[in-house]
Amino acid sequence: MRANCSSSSACPANSSEEELTVGPEAQGSLGLVFTVVSAVMMGLLMFSLGCSVEIRKLWWHIRRPWGIAVGLLCQFGLMPLTAYLLAISFSLKPVHAIAVLIMGCCPGGTISNIFTFWVDGDMDLSISMTACSTVAALGMMPLCLYLYTWSWDLAQNLTIPYQNIGITLVCLTIPVAFGIYVNYRWPKQSKLILKVGAVVGGVLLLVVTVAGVVLAKGSWNSDTTLLTISFIFPPIGHVSGFLLALLTHQSWQRCRTISLETGAQNIQMCITMLQLSFTAEHLVQMFNFPLAYGLFQLVDGVLIVAAYQIYKRRLKNRPRKRNPDCAEVCHDKKCREASAFLEVHEEAAGTPEPSGPMDRHRALEPTGHITSCE
């Protein structure tokens, strides 16, 4: 595959900054308002989500980064490979194939943190993965793009948006760090901030997504192939991330987290890189893909959250149907205590039985408490 980007249409080396940043998206005051509102919204959202992070658990993930390592493998291993295979399978034009590959090489987006909260995922792992993937993108993005495009014989160089990566990292870490501090000092208030922020953040995210699509309505075209890829790419990422996490023996909570982190990409970073690397002539052909991907990953996330909430409600109703008298006894903390007690007795199953009658009586005493909730 050869990218047919001649010098007449490619970005010249001596082009001005104004030419490089010109794109099909709306310009002027509306574009500025959209950018400012997006930045403020993401800052407030990450602050509220940071209120769910505990320093002890976050430090545990940093000291034992097995979950983070699996997430990075999904982010910069599975996603770029999936993008490359999709581009080859659908026989995309060079300019379209590059857009798909750039999207696959981008780090995880903050939208995954919202979905992780609504599916009761590991928020400490989710935020850690988002931050680590953003830092790793400084080196992994150019490496992945080089490995998958060296045979395409590009006539121009792809520009990595290092400034955008740095801004994204700052906008992520500072609000989250402040939220962690609030959770540490005022845990009761942080729970309220988290609930309000999750709801308001989800609504604002939907509004900003729709506004972005409306502002860039001139970039949409009738290329059904790109729309098809943008439709199936996020679910492939979710499923492959979940399966890899399952194969590495991660908990169900971590599997859900890694799955959502894998399929959710940083759309703004992809758009910025396209603007820096291509002229308006090429952007008209490729700009609709990241917009469509962002729309479909939002729809997929909402469907995943809805399916999980339905499953969660049905799961809560099961104990009441089986044994209504024990529904209140075996709830939350007591059931966890019973499970821990059973695990201890399973480990001690191979030990000799108590010799004295008093010891036998003590060993049998909790058993009746456990069996009463079955």
Side-chain angles (χ1 to χ4, degrees), residues 42-59:
M42 295 310 300
L44 294 176
L45 178 61
M46 295 313 299
F47 163 70
S48 62
L49 294 178
C51 292
S52 66
V53 178
E54 298 181 11
I55 298 179
R56 178 178 56 85
K57 294 181 180 180
L58 183 63
W59 178 244

Side-chain angles (χ1 to χ4, degrees), residues 97-328:
I98 295 174
V100 174
L101 186 60
I102 290 176
M103 177 60 70
C105 295
C106 285
T110 53
I111 187 176
S112 61
N113 305 130
I114 306 175
F115 294 144
T116 300
F117 172 79
W118 286 111
V119 299
D120 298 329
D122 192 336
M123 288 301 301
D124 305 273
L125 176 61
S126 178
I127 294 178
S128 300
M129 283 181 57
T130 303
C132 290
S133 65
T134 304
V135 174
L138 295 171
M140 293 304 299
M141 278 189 71
L143 177 61
C144 292
L145 289 172
Y146 172 77
L147 292 177
Y148 288 105
T149 61
W150 69 272
S151 61
W152 293 359
D153 193 17
L154 296 178
Q156 65 188 66
N157 294 325
L158 298 176
T159 304
I160 305 298
Y162 291 107
Q163 183 178 3
N164 183 269
I165 295 175
I167 293 174
T168 302
L169 188 61
V170 171
C171 294
L172 173 66
T173 55
I174 293 180
V176 169
F178 189 54
I180 295 175
Y181 176 77
V182 171
N183 186 29
Y184 176 75
R185 291 294 303 270
W186 303 284
K188 294 183 179 180
Q189 290 79 355
S190 66
K191 293 180 180 179
L192 178 61
I193 295 174
L194 176 61
K195 292 180 180 180
V196 175
V199 175
V200 176
V203 175
L204 288 178
L205 184 63
L206 179 61
V207 172
V208 170
T209 302
V210 174
V213 174
V214 172
L215 288 176
K217 60 182 179 180
S219 65
W220 295 93
N221 55 38
S222 58
D223 193 338
T224 57
T225 304
L226 279 183
L227 291 178
T228 302
I229 294 178
S230 63
F231 176 75
I232 65 175
F233 198 177
I236 292 176
H238 291 314
V239 174
S240 59
F242 184 88
L243 293 178
L244 183 59
L246 194 63
L247 290 175
T248 53
H249 304 287
Q250 301 295 313
S251 64
W252 288 108
Q253 186 185 33
R254 289 190 179 186
C255 288
R256 296 194 299 269
T257 303
I258 295 175
S259 172
L260 291 171
E261 288 287 336
T262 303
Q265 299 293 89
N266 193 320
I267 308 300
Q268 184 61 38
M269 193 170 298
C270 178
I271 293 175
T272 303
M273 187 170 179
L274 292 177
Q275 291 176 331
L276 293 176
S277 303
F278 299 93
T279 58
E281 180 182 355
H282 287 106
L283 286 176
V284 171
Q285 305 178 44
M286 62 173 63
F287 203 77
N288 65 329
F289 175 74
L291 296 177
Y293 187 99
L295 179 62
F296 285 127
Q297 81 171 5
L298 179 64
V299 173
D300 292 339
V302 172
L303 293 177
I304 292 173
V305 171
Y308 175 78
Q309 292 297 330
I310 294 174
Y311 168 77
K312 185 179 177 181
R313 289 184 179 181
R314 291 183 177 180
L315 195 63
K316 284 184 178 181
N317 295 331
R318 284 182 182 178
R320 297 179 181 178
K321 293 180 180 180
R322 292 179 179 178
N323 195 350
D325 297 334
C326 196
E328 298 295 333

Side-chain angles (χ1 to χ4, degrees), residues 12 22 30 183 330:
V22 171
L30 288 178
N183 186 29
C330 294

Side-chain angles (χ1 to χ4, degrees), residues 324-345:
D325 297 334
C326 196
E328 298 295 333
V329 179
C330 294
H331 186 69
D332 292 336
K333 185 177 179 181
K334 292 186 178 181
C335 280
R336 289 196 296 268
E337 292 177 354
S339 300
F341 182 83
L342 288 174
E343 290 178 1
V344 172
H345 277 260

